[in-house]
Amino acid sequence: MDTSPAYNLVLKKIKYLLIFILFFVLSEKCFSQWQQVKSQNGGSVNNICVSKDTVYALVREKGLMKSIDGGLNCRMIYEYKMRLEKLSVENNQILIGAQTAYSSDYGKTFYKLNAPVGAWYNGVVIGGNIILCGDSVFLSKDNGTTFTKPLNHSGWFNIRKSEQKVFVWDYGTNLSFVSIDSGKTWQPFSNGTQKLNEIFDTKGDTVVVLK
């Protein structure tokens, strides 16, 4: 075998070249490639929901935008010039919190829910039902025509959903509750004693909280 300095130098160059090629290939595979979506509206995106291949983006002081091609192109489907932050989507249902604008036809038409007083803050759509939170928890099983109070607890609530579970918690008492039947019945979460300042994320039976 040739062990001359020139031969060793060639081997070293080949080794460095292979390392560079390997690094380049792994970089392409491991790091996501980003590109700007095509939109004429601009603004700050406060919330994004994905339903199958459809992407919904809530833009502050603009309205709700929709993309049916994975975010490559977006169009405005609901215009509102005030501050909008809360959004929930499930199949054909879309709920914009605070203003409680609601659509049951994938965003083709919207109407303002006849929500109870104090139910303006936040909400989700789940299992075909609408759940609104404010100074109580309100449930509608008929696309917002009527509302009931399924939770026998008064407070000031916020809400998160995870698959078929819904979590709510009261800011004042820090009591939290969970529903596994789309808001029809509720039970204390962790015996109602775990204090949650914010439910950061949920996945199945796992709940990530900020205390």
Side-chain angles (χ1 to χ4, degrees):
M1 178 181 291
D2 189 355
T3 59
S4 65
Y7 180 76
N8 289 334
L9 180 62
V10 172
L11 287 180
K12 185 178 294 186
K13 289 182 178 180
I14 293 175
K15 182 177 71 173
Y16 288 149
L17 178 61
L18 291 175
I19 292 175
F20 175 79
I21 294 174
L22 180 61
F23 176 78
F24 179 79
V25 171
L26 291 178
S27 297
E28 288 292 310
K29 296 293 183 181
C30 295
F31 296 98
S32 300
Q33 304 300 308
W34 290 83
Q35 65 184 70
Q36 186 173 359
V37 300
K38 297 178 181 179
S39 170
Q40 302 297 321
N41 299 90
S44 300
V45 177
N46 286 351
N47 209 323
I48 293 178
C49 286
V50 179
S51 180
K52 296 181 181 179
D53 294 330
T54 303
V55 180
Y56 299 89
L58 197 60
V59 183
R60 179 180 294 186
E61 298 179 356
K62 295 285 186 177
L64 179 64
M65 302 190 69
K66 178 180 180 180
S67 171
I68 59 174
D69 56 9
L72 295 177
N73 297 277
C74 297
R75 64 182 180 89
M76 187 70 68
I77 62 173
Y78 178 79
E79 292 190 26
Y80 194 80
K81 301 303 181 182
M82 302 298 288
R83 180 174 176 174
L84 298 173
E85 291 189 352
K86 309 298 182 180
L87 176 66
S88 181
V89 176
E90 183 181 81
N91 298 325
N92 61 306
Q93 292 179 290
I94 304 171
L95 177 67
I96 302 176
Q99 299 301 319
T100 56
Y102 174 73
S103 172
S104 59
D105 56 8
Y106 299 94
K108 295 179 182 178
T109 58
F110 282 87
Y111 61 90
K112 189 175 178 64
L113 294 177
N114 185 26
V117 175
W120 62 273
Y121 179 66
N122 197 358
V124 299
V125 287
I126 183 169
N129 296 338
I130 301 172
I131 304 174
L132 300 178
C133 282
D135 58 10
S136 189
V137 175
F138 303 89
L139 171 67
S140 175
K141 296 183 286 185
D142 53 12
N143 286 342
T145 302
T146 59
F147 284 87
T148 60
K149 290 185 179 182
L151 179 59
N152 187 23
H153 178 85
S154 296
W156 191 251
F157 288 92
N158 208 340
I159 190 169
R160 289 287 188 276
K161 74 173 182 178
S162 172
E163 298 173 349
Q164 293 306 306
K165 291 184 179 181
V166 185
F167 299 87
V168 299
W169 72 99
D170 175 14
Y171 283 114
T173 63
N174 279 321
L175 292 178
S176 52
F177 303 87
V178 60
S179 173
I180 61 175
D181 54 8
S182 303
K184 297 175 185 177
T185 60
W186 297 84
Q187 59 185 356
F189 175 61
S190 294
N191 297 320
T193 59
Q194 185 165 352
K195 295 184 178 182
L196 309 179
N197 293 329
E198 179 78 33
I199 296 179
F200 180 71
D201 196 8
T202 56
K203 181 65 176 177
D205 293 328
T206 302
V207 181
V208 180
V209 301
L210 301 179
K211 293 186 177 181

